[in-house]
Structure formats: C-alpha cells, structure tokens
Amino acid sequence: PARMRAGEAWSDVCIRNISSFGMMLETAEPPSRGTYIEIRRGSQVVVARAMWCRSDSFGVRTQDRIDVAALLAAPTEKPRAAD
C-alpha cells in the first residue's frame, strides 16, 4: 500500500493502475474531483490532481512524469509526523 495526503489528512491508498502521467487509486474516502493530493510510497512522492471519483476509487493526473519502475520498486512505509 501507499499513503495519500489530501489537505492535512493522511490515509492508506492502494494503487490499482499506473501510467506515466496518472494513476487509478482505491481508498475508503476518495478526494473530491479537482483536489490536489500527494501519494507516498517509500521515498517516492507523486503530486497529482483527482480527475474523477467513484465510490471507493478515483483517478489522478500528474503534471510531471511518474517514474513507474521506481514507484513500484519502492518499499512501503508510513510517513512520519512532522515535529
């Protein structure tokens, strides 16, 4: 799993599909369309915008290219709270 930040809140998210400029994700409470989010998997960080939402899944588009291989190879860990 990966972690998602929308606003100040962090939650678990599952990456279901990934391409060079987008992802399909699954989570208990998807963000609203248009929301900017941050996805973290290991040391990899992806900033994206929610383009569509359906019940527990949603799709995002990134401005920068996603390094798919690095994201998939990254070990999963929960981000630490800021001091």
Side-chain angles (χ1 to χ4, degrees):
R3 297 286 286 165
M4 173 183 76
R5 181 170 64 100
E8 297 298 315
W10 285 95
S11 59
D12 290 327
V13 67
C14 183
I15 300 170
R16 293 292 182 198
N17 192 327
I18 187 168
S19 66
S20 56
F21 285 97
M23 288 188 250
M24 183 174 120
L25 304 155
E26 189 175 283
T27 188
E29 294 183 34
S32 302
R33 185 173 182 245
T35 301
Y36 284 92
I37 62 165
E38 178 180 322
I39 302 292
R40 288 183 181 249
R41 181 175 162 97
S43 63
Q44 299 296 310
V45 178
V46 176
V47 176
R49 185 175 185 188
M51 302 305 289
W52 59 266
C53 300
R54 291 187 198 109
S55 66
D56 64 350
S57 62
F58 65 105
V60 299
R61 172 111 175 121
T62 63
Q63 180 176 349
D64 299 319
R65 180 176 295 275
I66 298 170
D67 184 343
V68 176
L71 190 65
L72 294 176
T76 58
E77 60 186 46
K78 294 190 177 199
R80 295 182 180 165
D83 294 329

